[in-house]
């Protein structure tokens, strides 16, 4: 009997451990994420810690401010002020737009709303913007105020026009404090005609300029005069030693050679004294055709979530000769002389390390996955259902458009992950070309018959970028079903390049 006791004790311990695992599936010690017989190990994941530019297919005049781990993003939308809120800048495409302020019609500030910027000043939020009545010559700076802790909540009230006594054409306003004094910077000219200069003035409060303006930069170099003689989009940055710089945009935004220039304030210099500002003779960030960065400019700055890295946000066009401006980000460092080193624009579509402190996703590998069912597939050109889980974004599933054709809303496709897994969210890659999905309903289940609705993903035209759909809480299931609800164009048969699932590694 004594010889059998150790074996009996070991068997009891094993049984107790097994019972604990069954009763506590959310305790993911050692990553036992499968509820079935097979445990998930590190070999079942690929690490997702990179992103690609552009972040979104739009984003002229981008601006970012951050507070308490949240980033607030804005860009020029022309008719209103819109805020986007996210905890990860690389996932900006997932952010929900919040209409902050829509101007009444028939006012001097009702149209052509440009370059909005959100600032927190003395525990209140302010958005500065340029606007006119439909005539560019009437562009002036305005500001709205919100006392809510969250700028996407509460209401915004117009504080009025922000102008010096000359009340001349003005755009691209920004504010900053230096040695306790508040200043405003902007780009101004003669009714919008060249040359556009960068002006500075003191402020007595967030909506009032006091005293005369001073021009601290005028377009003097050839790289500031392409398209037109323009200095605009001034942005303040302070280096780790406390030295003050202004990064601005030179030339016309519509030309491929639009770029960034740099002004440096002399040590102990007076921001109101033009002689205390030194302009760098060459651009500090400029066009790179190999990177698909044409007309890079109108920038902003932000920190990584853990505060250890400096990041640049800017807009550029992906092709020469025009087109939409899109928002992009990349990390920058500091040179030994204390000036910022922006490097060259990162190539669109290339993999870039995420900002330090952003969540890292562990993507489930798909070796054991299979298609559990589908409404239809396009046999021509092998656009089959299996293509959405083959880890190749160049191959796609398309619902059948040859005879007999199918149409919204009768499409669906189901995937079997091979075991019941813990899932924090989904990842999708749009196909190239047309027939992209706009709204995609996501369902999950354990028997390929009974389904729980997990919500509807709003997909953007971002091929080949990955788009994420985060679940509010971790779910366990074996099957998921995708039901296209609407498309981004008029084609009635949807297509998708890739679909997958992940857990978040905190």
């Amino acid at each position: 009997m004594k010889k059998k006791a150790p074996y009996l004790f070991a068997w009891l311990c094993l049984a107790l451990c097994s019972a604990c695992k069954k009763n506590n599936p959310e305790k993911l010690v050692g990553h036992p994420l499968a509820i079935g017989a097979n445990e998930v190990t590190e070999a079942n994941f690929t690490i997702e810690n990179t992103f690609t530019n552009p972040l979104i297919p739009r984003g002229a005049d981008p601006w970012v401010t951050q507070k308490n781990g949240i980033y607030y993003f804005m860009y020029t939308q022309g008719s209103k002020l819109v805020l986007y809120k996210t905890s990860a800048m690389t996932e900006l495409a997932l952010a929900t737009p919040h209409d902050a302020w829509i101007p009444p019609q028939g006012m001097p500030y009702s149209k052509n709303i440009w370059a909005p910027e959100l600032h927190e000043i003395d525990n209140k939020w302010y958005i500065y913007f340029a606007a006119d009545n439909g005539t560019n010559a009437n562009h002036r700076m305005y500001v709205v105020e919100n006392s809510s802790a969250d700028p996407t909540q509460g209401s915004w009230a117009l504080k009025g026009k922000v102008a010096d006594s000359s009340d001349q054409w003005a755009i691209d306003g920004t504010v900053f404090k230096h040695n306790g004094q508040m200043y405003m910077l902007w780009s101004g000219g003669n009714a919008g005609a060249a040359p556009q200069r960068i002006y500075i003035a003191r402020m007595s409060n967030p909506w009032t300029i006091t005293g005369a303006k001073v021009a601290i930069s005028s377009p003097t170099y050839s790289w500031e005069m392409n398209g037109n003689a323009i200095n605009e989009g001034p942005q303040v940055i302070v280096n780790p030693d406390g030295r003050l710089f202004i990064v601005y945009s030179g030339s016309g935004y519509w030309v491929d050679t639009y770029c960034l220039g740099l002004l440096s304030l002399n040590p102990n210099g007076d921001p109101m004294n033009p002689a205390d500002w030194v302009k760098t003779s060459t651009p500090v960030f400029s066009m790179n055709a190999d990177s698909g960065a044409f007309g890079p400019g109108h920038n902003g700055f932000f920190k990584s979530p853990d505060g250890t890295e400096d990041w640049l946000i800017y807009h550029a066009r992906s092709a020469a000769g025009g087109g939409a401006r899109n928002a992009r980000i990349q990390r920058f460092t500091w040179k030994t002389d204390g000036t910022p080193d922006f490097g060259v624009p990162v190539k669109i579509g290339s993999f870039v390390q995420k900002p330090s402190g952003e969540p890292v996703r562990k993507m489930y590998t798909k070796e054991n996955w299979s298609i559990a069912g589908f409404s239809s597939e396009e046999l021509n050109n092998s656009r089959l259902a299996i293509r959405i889980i083959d880890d190749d974004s160049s191959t796609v599933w398309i619902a059948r458009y040859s005879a007999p054709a199918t149409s919204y809303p009768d499409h669906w496709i189901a995937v079997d992950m091979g075991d019941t897994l813990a899932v924090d969210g989904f990842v999708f890659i749009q196909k190239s070309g047309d027939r992209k999905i706009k709204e995609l309903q996501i369902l999950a289940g354990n028997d390929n018959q009974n389904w729980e609705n997990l919500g509807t993903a709003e997909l953007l035209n971002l091929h080949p970028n990955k788009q994420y759909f985060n679940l509010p809480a971790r779910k366990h299931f074996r099957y998921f079903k995708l039901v296209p609800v609407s498309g981004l164009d008029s084609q009635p048969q949807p297509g998708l390049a890739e679909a997958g699932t992940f857990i978040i590694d905190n």
Side-chain angles (χ1 to χ4, degrees):
M1 185 67 182
K2 288 183 179 179
K3 291 183 178 179
K4 294 182 179 179
Y7 297 101
L8 179 60
F9 178 74
W11 181 85
L12 287 172
C13 289
L14 183 62
L16 286 171
C17 289
S18 177
C20 287
K21 285 185 179 180
K22 289 180 180 178
N23 291 330
N24 297 282
E26 293 290 350
K27 280 197 155 185
L28 305 178
V29 180
H31 304 289
L33 300 175
I35 306 302
N38 301 318
E39 288 188 353
V40 174
T41 67
E42 293 295 333
N44 297 100
F45 297 111
T46 58
I47 303 301
E48 182 64 78
N49 57 3
T50 60
F51 73 97
T52 57
N53 280 309
L55 296 182
I56 52 176
R58 56 199 184 281
D61 310 328
W63 170 260
V64 176
T65 192
Q66 60 195 110
K67 182 181 180 182
N68 297 333
I70 298 297
Y71 297 89
Y72 300 98
F73 170 77
M74 304 190 78
Y75 70 96
T76 291
Q77 302 211 23
S79 62
K80 58 185 177 180
L81 302 177
V82 183
L83 281 166
Y84 298 79
K85 179 179 177 180
T86 182
S87 59
M89 280 301 297
T90 63
E91 298 170 19
L92 186 60
L94 299 175
T96 301
H98 300 269
D99 287 348
W101 185 78
I102 301 175
Q105 294 299 305
M107 305 302 291
Y109 44 80
S110 296
K111 297 182 178 180
N112 297 323
I113 296 175
W114 295 351
E117 289 193 7
L118 174 71
H119 294 261
E120 186 185 29
I121 305 170
D122 299 330
N123 298 317
K124 290 185 178 181
W125 293 100
Y126 296 87
I127 299 177
Y128 296 87
F129 61 96
D132 63 29
N133 61 353
T135 301
N136 179 41
N138 295 327
H139 254 111
R140 299 295 187 274
M141 296 301 310
Y142 298 87
V143 64
V144 292
E145 180 189 72
N146 187 341
S147 58
S148 298
D150 182 344
T152 64
Q153 305 296 321
S155 60
W156 290 87
L158 181 71
K159 294 297 291 184
K161 180 166 63 175
V162 188
D164 70 298
S165 58
S166 68
D167 192 22
Q168 291 184 324
W169 186 90
I171 64 168
D172 296 352
T174 192
V175 296
F176 70 101
K177 284 187 178 181
H178 181 69
N179 293 334
Q181 173 63 53
M182 187 173 180
Y183 298 88
M184 187 171 201
L185 290 166
W186 70 94
S187 176
N190 181 16
Q196 282 177 225
R197 299 180 172 90
I198 300 220
Y199 291 96
I200 189 171
R202 293 186 179 92
M203 302 185 79
S204 57
N205 59 46
W207 57 89
T208 305
I209 287 176
T210 180
K213 67 181 179 183
V214 174
I216 58 172
S217 181
S218 299
T220 54
Y221 294 109
S222 60
W223 53 268
E224 300 175 289
M225 300 183 187
N226 294 315
N228 229 331
I230 294 174
N231 285 177
E232 63 182 13
Q235 297 296 337
V236 170
I237 187 170
V238 178
N239 77 1
D241 296 324
R243 188 177 173 192
L244 185 68
F245 300 92
I246 294 173
V247 179
Y248 68 95
S249 301
S251 293
Y253 77 87
W254 56 91
V255 299
D256 293 342
T257 49
Y258 190 60
C259 57
L260 295 181
L262 181 70
L263 300 174
S264 306
L265 184 67
N266 288 328
N268 302 313
D270 178 4
M272 293 294 294
N273 182 5
D276 283 339
W277 290 99
V278 178
K279 180 186 290 189
T280 301
S281 60
T282 57
V284 293
F285 195 69
S286 54
M287 182 192 81
N288 189 295
D290 290 339
S291 296
F294 298 90
H298 204 115
N299 70 288
F301 305 103
F302 64 94
K303 288 278 190 179
S304 60
D306 63 7
T308 64
E309 297 173 349
D310 291 299
W311 284 74
L312 171 75
I313 185 169
Y314 64 99
H315 74 225
R317 291 181 295 273
S318 300
R325 292 169 285 174
N326 47 62
R328 312 172 184 202
I329 62 173
Q330 64 186 70
R331 185 184 177 188
F332 71 93
T333 56
W334 300 91
K335 298 179 181 179
T336 56
D337 65 359
T339 60
D341 185 357
F342 300 128
V344 298
V346 173
K347 186 175 183 179
I348 57 175
S350 64
F351 294 105
V352 181
Q353 193 76 20
K354 287 184 176 182
S356 181
E358 279 201 0
V360 173
R361 289 183 170 84
K362 290 185 173 182
M363 301 291 176
Y364 281 109
T365 57
K366 305 174 184 177
E367 286 87 349
N368 298 322
W369 289 24
S370 60
I371 298 299
F374 54 87
S375 57
S376 70
E377 59 184 8
E378 178 53 46
L379 298 176
N380 293 342
N381 301 311
S382 190
R383 294 166 177 174
L384 308 178
I386 193 66
R387 300 306 185 195
I388 74 162
I389 55 171
D390 66 357
D391 281 325
D392 185 351
S393 62
S394 68
T395 64
V396 300
W397 163 65
I398 296 181
R400 188 170 54 241
Y401 60 81
S402 58
T406 55
S407 182
Y408 285 108
D410 302 322
H411 304 306
W412 60 272
I413 186 169
V415 175
D416 179 3
M417 297 188 295
D419 209 338
T420 301
L421 303 178
V423 174
D424 288 331
F426 293 80
V427 58
F428 303 106
I429 300 179
Q430 290 273 32
K431 66 181 294 294
S432 61
D434 57 8
R435 306 180 194 277
K436 294 185 182 71
I437 297 168
K438 179 180 180 181
E439 296 174 293
L440 184 64
Q441 185 183 28
I442 305 170
L443 304 100
N446 288 313
D447 58 7
N448 198 26
Q449 293 181 357
N450 300 290
W451 301 99
E452 177 186 357
N453 184 10
L454 301 183
T456 300
E458 298 277 345
L459 301 184
L460 300 174
N461 186 4
L462 290 180
H463 172 83
N465 291 17
K466 293 179 178 178
Q467 300 183 58
Y468 304 103
F469 180 79
N470 297 320
L471 297 176
R474 178 167 288 173
K475 292 284 186 179
H476 296 84
F477 52 86
R478 174 169 176 167
Y479 300 88
F480 64 87
K481 187 176 184 179
L482 306 177
V483 182
V485 178
S486 64
L488 288 169
D489 57 40
S490 60
Q491 299 288 347
Q493 298 85 20
L496 191 65
E498 283 293 314
T501 57
F502 61 82
I503 61 168
I504 294 177
D505 185 2
N506 292 320

